Amino acid sequence: MRKIIFATGNQDKMKEIREILADLDAEVLSLKDAGIKADIVEDGRTFEENAQIKARAICEMTGEIVLADDSGLEIDYLNKEPGVYSARYMGEDTSYRIKNANLIGRLEGVPDEQRTARFVCAIAAAFPDGRIKTVRAAMEGRIGYEEKGGNGFGYDPIFYLPEYGCTSAELSMEEKNKISHRGKALRAIKDELR
Ligand code: IMP
């Protein structure tokens, strides 16, 4: 069976990744499963660049097929902030209570139609022969007026999905995976790996 390494240390992501890639007939390993310790500087300007940097670095270290993702929230009214800085916005250790309250505050008085936003996920696949494939997917929504819902993580409680009438933190994990940026990007990269 061929091996695929997914360059993440996040176990929640690995669960979702294994579920979606289950029918690929490949053993999908996390960095930890593969015994890799790497501190890669994500200094790309785009989600695609960051995913490629990570995938290529681990592929060169291991000689295996490596997938890596990079994701974040783009708010149109804030010129697509926090974007590639989503995890680092206001500091890596600042709680999402504070980050979410800050973003809602920056949108004070901004009407619904100007509160558009999206979660973006880029996934890169690096192959030992040097090829690299990259996909991008998004989930469109709007920034809400208060935090709602206890599922998900990060910016989910302020990410309102008009078609569903709730935030992405009010969806179950299964419901979110069907429509999420990461779920869509994983299904797209799977097609590239077949
Ligand atoms: P990374 O791709 O693991 O580096 O995540 C980037 C950051 O984007 C996360 O730390 C969150 O702040 C944000 N983010 C990405 N995807 C989601 C999501 O599905 N829900 C909430 N926040 C997200």
Side-chain angles (χ1 to χ4, degrees):
M1 203 191 241
R2 68 178 163 159
K3 266 193 215 165
I4 296 177
I5 297 172
F6 203 105
T8 183
N10 180 323
Q11 287 309 312
D12 292 330
K13 271 194 197 170
M14 277 312 292
K15 193 163 166 256
E16 178 183 345
I17 289 160
R18 285 209 177 90
E19 252 170 54
I20 294 178
L21 301 182
D23 55 343
L24 261 187
D25 197 29
E27 188 187 2
V28 184
L29 305 173
S30 69
L31 286 178
K32 195 167 161 228
D33 300 332
I36 299 163
K37 270 215 165 104
D39 201 8
I40 299 155
V41 182
E42 294 178 36
D43 55 0
R45 282 164 299 133
T46 62
F47 296 109
E48 282 87 345
E49 274 178 26
N50 279 335
Q52 287 166 0
I53 290 167
K54 277 187 277 187
R56 195 172 270 133
I58 306 291
C59 180
E60 281 168 6
M61 280 170 68
T62 60
E64 306 284 354
I65 299 175
V66 178
L67 300 182
D69 74 332
D70 193 47
S71 58
L73 175 67
E74 287 183 351
I75 301 176
D76 291 323
Y77 187 80
L78 303 179
N79 294 315
K80 305 208 171 164
E81 273 189 63
V84 290
Y85 299 103
S86 291
R88 289 163 279 175
Y89 182 65
M90 298 184 78
E92 194 100 36
D93 296 330
T94 303
S95 77
Y96 278 91
R97 268 270 135 78
I98 294 174
K99 297 189 199 210
N100 285 335
N102 170 273
L103 290 174
I104 287 174
R106 291 179 70 192
L107 293 191
E108 202 181 324
V110 175
D112 282 352
E113 63 276 13
Q114 288 179 47
R115 301 177 79 91
T116 51
R118 68 202 56 75
F119 279 122
V120 176
C121 177
I123 300 183
F127 298 89
D129 64 5
R131 276 180 306 138
I132 193 143
K133 293 261 181 192
T134 312
V135 297
R136 162 190 278 242
M139 172 166 72
E140 299 286 337
R142 283 187 199 154
I143 301 304
Y145 295 86
E146 58 182 342
E147 283 201 294
K148 275 192 180 161
N151 303 330
F153 67 100
Y155 300 105
D156 279 324
I158 60 166
F159 193 76
Y160 181 73
L161 296 156
E163 312 93 282
Y164 293 82
C166 65
T167 69
S168 47
E170 294 177 287
L171 297 178
S172 69
M173 209 221 283
E174 291 73 32
E175 286 170 325
K176 186 181 160 195
N177 287 350
K178 277 189 205 149
I179 58 165
S180 79
H181 47 314
R182 207 172 353 268
K184 286 190 231 171
L186 276 167
R187 288 187 286 274
I189 203 76
K190 185 162 81 170
D191 292 337
E192 299 288 344
L193 291 169
R194 284 195 202 280

